[in-house]
Amino acid sequence: MSREPFFFGIRHLSPAGAYYLRQILSKRLPRLVLVEGPCDLGDEMAHMRREEARPPMAVLAYTREAPVRTILYPFASYSPEYQAILWCGEHHVECRFMDLPTDVFLALPAREDIPEAENSGEEERFQVYRALDERCGEDGHETFWERTLEQAGDWKGYMEGANLFGRRVREMTGEGDRDWEEIRLREAWMRGQIRKAVAEGIPPEEILVVTGAYHVEGLKGWEQVPGEEETKCLQALPRIASSHTLMPYSDYRLSSRSGYGAGNKAPAYYGLLWEGLHGEDPMYVAYRYLAKIAGFQRKGGSPVSSAEVIEAVRLAVELAQMRGGQIPALRDLRDAAVTCLGGGHFASISLAVADTEIGTRIGSLPEGVSRTSIQEDFYRQLKEWKLEKYRDITAQDLALDLREKRNVVSEKSAFLDLHRSFFLHRLRVLGVSFGVPQKNVQDNATWAEHWQLRWTPEAEIQLVESALKGDTILQAVSFQMKESVEGAGNLGSIAQVIEDAFLCGMPAAAGQATDILAHRAVDVVSLEELARTVERLSVAIRYGNIRQVDEKPLVPVLGRIFYRACLLLPGACVCDEGASHVVVTAMQQLNGAALAHEFLDQEGWIQALFQVADRDDLNTRLSGFAAAVLLERGLMDTKRLQTEVGRRLSPGMPADLGAGWFEGLAMKNRYALIARLSLWESLDGYLDTLDQEEFKRALVFLRRAFADFTAREKDEIAENLGEIWNLNGNQVSQVLNAVLGEEESGLLESLDDFDFDL
C-alpha cells in the first residue's frame, strides 16, 4: 500500500463530491480525516453533527475588537466537508480542520508585507474556464462542471476529473493569482498539519485529506521539510484576537447572487442533485425540477398540464443529447421549461425558476448552540414576543397596536405589541436588518405601527458585530445611544437619539440625551437645526404616553428651543431662492409642532409669521408661505388677504417678487385660494402689466407654483379665469390642458436656465 495520504479534491458546494466522498470514506475507513477549514473551528463539529442541526449553516469568525471583521464558512447538506464531518461522527473517526486558524485569516487583510501580483489572475482564470466551455460546447462554467463532474457516474471518475481540473487551472493561472502568496501560506500550513498527524503516530496511508481540487497538487509535497524562508513566514504570521459562532444560513445567501464567491447559482437545484444521487435515479432531477416549476405556476394561477411537463422532460433529454450529454443539466431543463411551460417566454416562469433553483430554505440550530450572548438574547426575545414565525427568508408584514388590550389575563399579553415595538426599534437602532418600519396607514395614529420582517444571515452577522457593544440587546442599544450623543455634531442628531429612546422604551437613555441637548441648544443659531430638533422632540412627546415613557422632562426643553426658533425665523427669511426651500421646511416643522402642543409659545409663533408675511425686505416666497400658514390657521381674514394681494401683485412690482410671493401662497390651502375669485383677478391684472421679459421671469415661479396642482384643481382655476375673461370655463380648461405647441415648448425649455442676473 502507498505510504501517501489519500487526497480527495472537491468543489466546496458539490453534491457529487459529497456523495462520492462518503463512498470512498466507507471504502478506505481512514483513522483520520483532514478537512480544509480553519483549524481552530474543530469544536463546532460536534454541534454540526447534532440531530437538531439543519443546514444550510455557517461558522462565523469575527474579531473581538472594533472595527469588527468577519469571515464566513458556509455549509449546505451537499457540502463535501459537512458530509465528511457527519461520516466521521457516525463511524467514530477523528476529523480535524487543517487550514490556517481564523485569528490569522482575520489578520491577513491588514498585512502590508504580502505583495499584490502584477496580474490579478482573474482574467487568466476566466480564460481557462472559457476555453473549457468552448471545447465542451457549453454556455458557462457551471454547465461544464455539472455535465463533466456532477454527472461523473462514480467516485473514481469524479476524483480524477476534479483533481485534473484543479491541476490544469493551477498550471494556467499559478502565480498570476492575486492571492497567490496567501495560497502558498495556506498550503504550507496544511502540509504542516499532515506532518503533525504523522508525527503523532498516524500512518500517512490512513489519513484522508478533503480539500479544494485546486490545492491537491500543492499538498502532495507534504513530506518535504519546509525551508528557512517558509518556516520564517509561518512563524511570523499575524494574529488578531477572534471568536467564532455557528449560525443558521440560507439558500439565497449560498447563491452566487448574494455575493458569496464560493457559492453556486442554484443552491436549491443542487439540493435536488443531492437527492437524486441518493435515489440512484439519473432522471430524478429532471422530473423534480420540472414538476416544481409546474407546481409553482399552478399555485400562481397559471394552468400547466401534466402533458406539458412530460413534453418538457422529453425536450430536456433531447437537448442534453444534442449538446453531448446523456442526462439533462440545468441549462437543458431551464430551456425546456421556458419552451414547454412558459410559452417561450422566460418572464412567464421567472418566479418559479427562482423558487426552484435558488430556494427559500433557512437552516436551524439547537437552542443555545455556539452563540454569543447577544444572539441568545435575540432568540430568547424572538420566542418571548411570539415573533418566531417571522424568522423566514420571505418578507412578512406585521401590524402593531400599541394600546393596552383589556380583554386579556396577563399584563405581558396586554402590552405584547408594545414590547414587540420596543424590540424591533432596538434592533433598528443597532443596525440589525430584521425589521423595517413601514409608513402607517393611519398617519396620525401614534398607537399604530407597521413593519416588514425578514430574516437574513446578514441580520445574524449584524447581531454578532453588536456583541462588542453589550451582552444583551438592551445593553448594546444603550451603548450605541451613548456613543451617538457624545459624537453628535448637531442638535438634530441628539434629538434623533431622544426620539429613538422613546421608540425603544428606554427612559434613562432619553433623560441623558435630553440633558445634553438642553445644554447645547443655548448656542445654536441655525433655524434649520432648531426646527429639525423641534420636530423630533414633538414626535417623542406624542409617543410618550402610548409608550409608557415620561415625556415631561422634554416639555421645557422643547419650549425653549421652539421659542429660539420663533425669534430667529424673520432673520432666516433674508435669503436667496435656494435657501428658501430649507426655510419653508423649517416653517412647516415648527408649525406642525405648534399645532400639536398647546404649551408651546403660540403667540410668539403667530407674531413671527405675521412679521414674515408683512415685511417687504424678506424673500417674497417665504412671505407668501407665511401668509398661507396664517390663512390655513384662520388668522388672516379676507380683507387682510386682499390687502396683501393688492400690495404684492401691484403694477410695478418686479416679476420675480410678485410671482414668487404667489408661489409661496399657493403651497397651502389650494381650495380656499381657488374659491377666492378676487385673488385670480388680481393675478390676472398683475400679469397684464408685465412686459415680455418680465412675463418670462414670472413664468419661472408660476410654473413651479402650479407644477403639482391636480387636474381637478386646474379645471377649477380655469372656471375662475373663464369668468374673469367672459369665456366658457370648459373651453379655457381645454386650452390650458392642451398639448403645447413648438413655440410654447421652446419658451418653457428656455426657462430652465433663465438668468436672473444674480
Side-chain angles (χ1 to χ4, degrees):
M1 180 181 285
S2 169
R3 297 283 294 173
E4 286 288 323
F6 189 88
F7 293 96
F8 195 88
I10 49 92
R11 188 188 189 192
H12 293 295
L13 289 167
S14 169
Y19 183 74
Y20 296 132
L21 174 59
R22 289 191 68 102
Q23 287 188 351
I24 199 64
L25 285 167
S26 296
K27 178 181 176 66
R28 295 188 65 89
L29 296 174
R31 279 179 57 184
L32 172 66
V33 176
L34 294 176
V35 176
E36 183 184 326
C39 58
D40 57 333
L41 300 184
D43 56 338
E44 300 294 356
M45 290 184 180
H47 300 311
M48 294 168 67
R49 293 184 184 122
R50 287 179 59 172
E51 186 177 349
E52 307 97 312
R54 294 283 182 271
M57 63 184 76
V59 180
L60 173 69
Y62 57 96
T63 55
R64 294 177 190 166
E65 296 181 0
V68 177
R69 292 203 296 274
T70 60
I71 307 177
L72 271 167
Y73 299 92
F75 299 91
S77 57
Y78 49 81
S79 294
E81 301 94 330
Y82 176 64
Q83 289 301 324
I85 292 167
L86 291 185
W87 185 93
C88 288
E90 294 161 6
H91 295 82
H92 308 290
V93 171
E94 185 180 7
C95 185
R96 302 177 191 169
F97 285 124
M98 63 172 178
D99 209 339
L100 289 170
T102 56
D103 58 356
V104 173
F105 269 119
L106 288 164
L108 281 176
R111 286 192 59 178
E112 298 178 356
D113 58 322
I114 298 182
E116 286 196 6
E118 291 182 7
N119 187 328
S120 69
E122 293 177 5
E123 178 61 27
E124 289 185 27
R125 193 173 301 174
F126 173 76
Q127 295 292 348
V128 172
Y129 290 162
R130 186 165 65 182
L132 286 169
D133 297 339
E134 289 174 354
R135 177 170 293 187
C136 298
E138 299 298 356
D139 63 334
H141 177 59
E142 288 285 328
T143 305
F144 163 77
W145 181 273
E146 182 183 355
R147 192 105 62 198
T148 308
L149 290 162
E150 297 301 327
Q151 298 177 0
D154 56 48
W155 69 266
K156 189 173 183 181
Y158 180 92
M159 185 186 73
E160 290 178 352
N163 288 355
L164 176 62
F165 176 82
R167 184 166 65 250
R168 288 288 182 259
V169 172
R170 189 184 183 94
E171 289 171 355
M172 298 179 74
T173 59
E175 297 183 12
D177 278 334
R178 179 187 58 78
D179 54 354
W180 179 248
E181 289 302 317
E182 182 179 316
I183 290 171
R184 288 179 57 191
L185 287 172
R186 290 176 58 202
E187 291 178 352
W189 181 275
M190 289 190 280
R191 290 194 298 269
Q193 296 302 300
I194 298 173
R195 290 193 299 271
K196 177 183 176 183
V198 172
E200 292 171 358
I202 303 174
E205 65 272 17
E206 295 188 30
I207 299 174
L208 192 145
V209 178
V210 182
T211 185
Y214 184 90
H215 297 297
V216 170
E217 289 300 312
L219 301 186
K220 284 186 175 179
W222 65 274
E223 284 184 288
Q224 183 177 350
V225 178
E228 183 178 344
E229 183 181 351
E230 182 178 302
T231 302
K232 183 179 178 181
C233 284
L234 292 174
Q235 290 175 346
L237 283 172
R239 294 176 183 268
I240 188 169
S242 65
S243 298
H244 56 264
T245 179
L246 192 62
M247 58 175 273
Y249 218 57
S250 68
D251 276 346
Y252 174 76
R253 192 69 170 86
L254 285 172
S255 74
S256 56
R257 296 186 186 188
S258 69
Y260 169 56
N264 57 59
K265 292 181 179 178
Y269 171 78
Y270 272 64
L272 295 179
L273 289 176
W274 174 243
E275 294 171 11
L277 286 164
H278 279 82
E280 298 184 351
D281 180 0
M283 288 299 294
Y284 172 86
V285 177
Y287 300 144
R288 289 292 297 140
Y289 178 90
L290 293 167
K292 283 174 73 68
I293 294 281
F296 188 96
Q297 290 294 93
R298 288 168 183 164
K299 280 184 180 179
S302 299
V304 176
S305 68
S306 299
E308 288 172 314
V309 176
I310 293 170
E311 194 60 35
V313 172
R314 290 174 178 165
L315 178 58
V317 172
E318 291 175 2
L319 288 172
Q321 292 172 350
M322 287 172 57
R323 293 163 174 166
Q326 294 299 317
I327 304 169
L330 178 57
R331 174 191 182 187
D332 311 315
L333 293 170
R334 186 188 288 180
D335 288 348
V338 170
T339 302
C340 299
L341 309 182
H345 302 288
F346 176 75
S348 301
I349 60 169
S350 58
L351 294 178
V353 168
D355 182 73
T356 305
E357 294 183 7
I358 297 176
T360 59
R361 183 178 304 175
I362 296 177
S364 61
L365 297 171
E367 189 171 342
V369 165
S370 189
R371 290 176 181 151
T372 61
S373 57
I374 198 168
Q375 286 174 287
E376 292 287 359
D377 186 46
F378 171 79
Y379 284 101
R380 178 189 63 77
Q381 293 198 54
L382 210 62
K383 184 175 182 180
E384 182 176 5
W385 309 126
K386 304 184 188 307
L387 293 170
E388 288 178 300
K389 73 173 184 176
Y390 296 97
R391 188 184 161 274
D392 192 276
I393 198 69
T394 303
Q396 300 179 67
D397 293 326
L398 173 65
L400 300 179
D401 184 340
L402 309 184
R403 297 172 294 187
E404 180 182 4
K405 297 173 180 62
R406 301 183 182 278
N407 59 341
V408 294
V409 177
S410 67
E411 183 179 352
K412 181 178 178 181
S413 298
F415 293 102
L416 176 63
D417 277 3
L418 179 61
H419 287 292
R420 283 173 162 180
S421 175
F422 289 160
F423 175 61
L424 293 173
H425 276 294
R426 289 170 186 176
L427 293 175
R428 176 185 59 78
V429 170
L430 280 180
V432 177
S433 55
F434 174 61
V436 178
Q438 307 295 301
K439 183 176 180 179
N440 287 340
V441 177
Q442 304 92 343
D443 289 336
N444 297 317
T446 57
W447 51 265
E449 277 190 353
H450 291 76
W451 292 80
Q452 188 173 84
L453 306 184
R454 178 171 175 262
W455 185 92
T456 62
E458 283 77 11
E460 195 93 29
I461 296 170
Q462 290 154 356
L463 270 175
V464 171
E465 291 174 345
S466 299
L468 296 180
K469 300 173 183 177
D471 293 331
T472 66
I473 290 171
L474 182 61
Q475 289 176 2
V477 175
S478 296
F479 181 85
Q480 175 71 46
M481 288 183 174
K482 182 174 179 292
E483 274 202 330
S484 297
V485 170
E486 291 175 352
N490 54 59
L491 289 189
S493 299
I494 303 175
Q496 174 69 69
V497 173
I498 295 173
E499 182 183 342
D500 284 338
F502 272 72
L503 295 172
C504 294
M506 299 172 62
Q512 294 166 2
T514 301
D515 292 341
I516 295 174
L517 179 72
H519 178 72
R520 290 201 194 175
V522 176
D523 301 321
V524 174
V525 294
S526 165
L527 179 70
E528 178 187 6
E529 190 174 341
L530 291 171
R532 188 166 56 243
T533 304
V534 164
E535 183 181 49
R536 293 202 180 283
L537 295 183
S538 173
V539 171
I541 290 174
R542 281 184 280 138
Y543 273 122
N545 242 357
I546 196 72
R547 294 181 175 275
Q548 301 181 351
V549 179
D550 185 10
E551 75 280 4
K552 292 185 183 64
L554 282 182
V555 170
V557 178
L558 175 57
R560 288 195 295 271
I561 295 175
F562 183 82
Y563 178 72
R564 282 179 55 78
C566 292
L567 295 177
L568 291 173
L569 176 60
C573 292
V574 182
C575 62
D576 59 17
E577 283 304 309
S580 72
H581 296 279
V582 174
V583 179
V584 163
T585 300
M587 292 171 71
Q588 289 173 322
Q589 292 168 332
L590 293 170
N591 190 56
L595 291 171
H597 308 291
E598 291 185 2
F599 65 81
L600 292 177
D601 185 1
Q602 303 292 333
E603 185 178 347
W605 173 238
I606 300 304
Q607 287 178 354
L609 287 174
F610 270 118
Q611 189 177 353
V612 174
D614 291 343
R615 283 174 56 174
D616 296 330
D617 59 334
L618 306 180
N619 183 291
T620 55
R621 182 170 183 264
L622 298 175
S623 294
F625 184 71
V629 174
L630 291 167
L631 190 65
E632 182 182 56
R633 296 183 60 140
L635 298 172
M636 179 177 281
D637 57 25
T638 301
K639 183 178 179 181
R640 185 156 188 171
L641 176 62
Q642 288 176 342
T643 301
E644 281 299 305
V645 170
R647 189 163 66 91
R648 300 289 185 174
L649 300 180
S650 62
M653 176 68 71
D656 47 331
L657 299 181
W661 179 86
F662 181 82
E663 180 193 358
L665 183 70
M667 294 177 71
K668 281 181 171 290
N669 318 299
R670 288 180 180 168
Y671 283 108
L673 295 177
I674 291 170
R676 287 175 164 84
L677 185 62
S678 59
L679 173 66
W680 302 99
E681 289 175 334
S682 298
L683 179 62
D684 178 55
Y686 171 67
L687 294 176
D688 281 344
T689 68
L690 303 178
D691 61 29
Q692 186 174 3
E693 192 64 19
E694 286 180 320
F695 182 72
K696 285 184 180 180
R697 296 168 73 89
L699 273 184
V700 174
F701 297 91
L702 296 176
R703 182 189 184 195
R704 206 160 55 194
F706 292 116
D708 57 348
F709 271 60
T710 65
R712 180 181 175 184
E713 289 169 342
K714 290 177 182 177
D715 285 341
E716 292 177 350
I717 293 171
E719 288 184 16
N720 284 341
L721 295 177
E723 186 172 344
I724 295 169
W725 298 336
N726 295 316
L727 296 173
N728 183 286
N730 290 332
Q731 292 176 324
V732 176
S733 178
Q734 289 175 9
V735 172
L736 293 179
N737 289 297
V739 177
L740 296 178
E742 186 175 337
E743 184 178 348
E744 292 95 338
S745 297
L747 173 61
L748 287 182
E749 288 176 7
S750 70
L751 297 179
D752 293 333
D753 300 314
F754 195 84
D755 183 8
F756 283 97
D757 301 323
L758 297 179

